[in-house]
Amino acid sequence: QVQLVESGGGSVQAGGSLRLSCAASGFTDSRYCMAWFRQAPGKEREGVATIDSAGSTSYPESVKGRFTISQDNAKKILNLQMNSLKPEDTAMYYCALRRGTYCTGGIYRWAGLFGYWGQGTQVTVSS
């Protein structure tokens, strides 16, 4: 079965960097869309980056230029490099998978389209 296991969260001061990783297993789809979402207490889950099996990436304006999503296809590891972190980036970060299709434009807006989720890793940014 599909498993997504995040790691790399932690606490950092504003302006710092963190790198999250997600180890994926249990699927061999040639087409897929993977994403990082985050959810802060009392707020809706929001997408911060997507990448598909063709290597196409997308980001919302809130993180564009600061966050970079990448993948190691051979090891099935999804990464999120987060630079210039801000206190408003504080949240639980989740790795997500949508099987059988490439990412479509703006899919980070639609958490409901992703059928598989990791357990999350906490990121805390202090001012």
Side-chain angles (χ1 to χ4, degrees):
Q1 78 240 31
V2 174
Q3 282 195 315
L4 304 173
V5 181
E6 301 96 335
S7 61
S11 297
V12 65
Q13 289 193 326
S17 299
L18 280 174
R19 184 177 178 86
L20 307 183
S21 293
C22 171
S25 62
F27 69 101
T28 57
D29 306 43
S30 59
R31 295 186 182 188
Y32 59 81
C33 175
M34 294 197 75
W36 287 98
F37 285 80
R38 66 186 181 188
Q39 189 166 21
K43 294 190 176 181
E44 291 189 356
R45 192 166 294 193
E46 64 168 336
V48 297
T50 67
I51 189 167
D52 62 24
S53 47
S56 296
T57 61
S58 67
Y59 307 89
E61 286 299 321
S62 58
V63 305
K64 195 173 289 185
R66 300 189 299 122
F67 289 13
T68 303
I69 191 171
S70 62
Q71 62 186 344
D72 181 328
N73 287 332
K75 296 181 180 179
K76 286 195 173 176
I77 295 177
L78 182 71
N79 298 303
L80 184 69
Q81 179 66 42
M82 304 186 294
N83 299 328
S84 303
L85 283 162
K86 305 175 181 179
E88 52 263 44
D89 294 318
T90 295
M92 186 72 80
Y93 283 71
Y94 298 90
C95 171
L97 167 69
R98 187 183 189 206
R99 299 178 66 177
T101 182
Y102 296 129
C103 296
T104 52
I107 195 172
Y108 49 75
R109 298 186 182 94
W110 308 107
L113 293 179
F114 292 81
Y116 301 90
W117 294 83
Q119 82 289 348
T121 187
Q122 178 68 38
V123 170
T124 302
V125 184
S126 58
S127 56

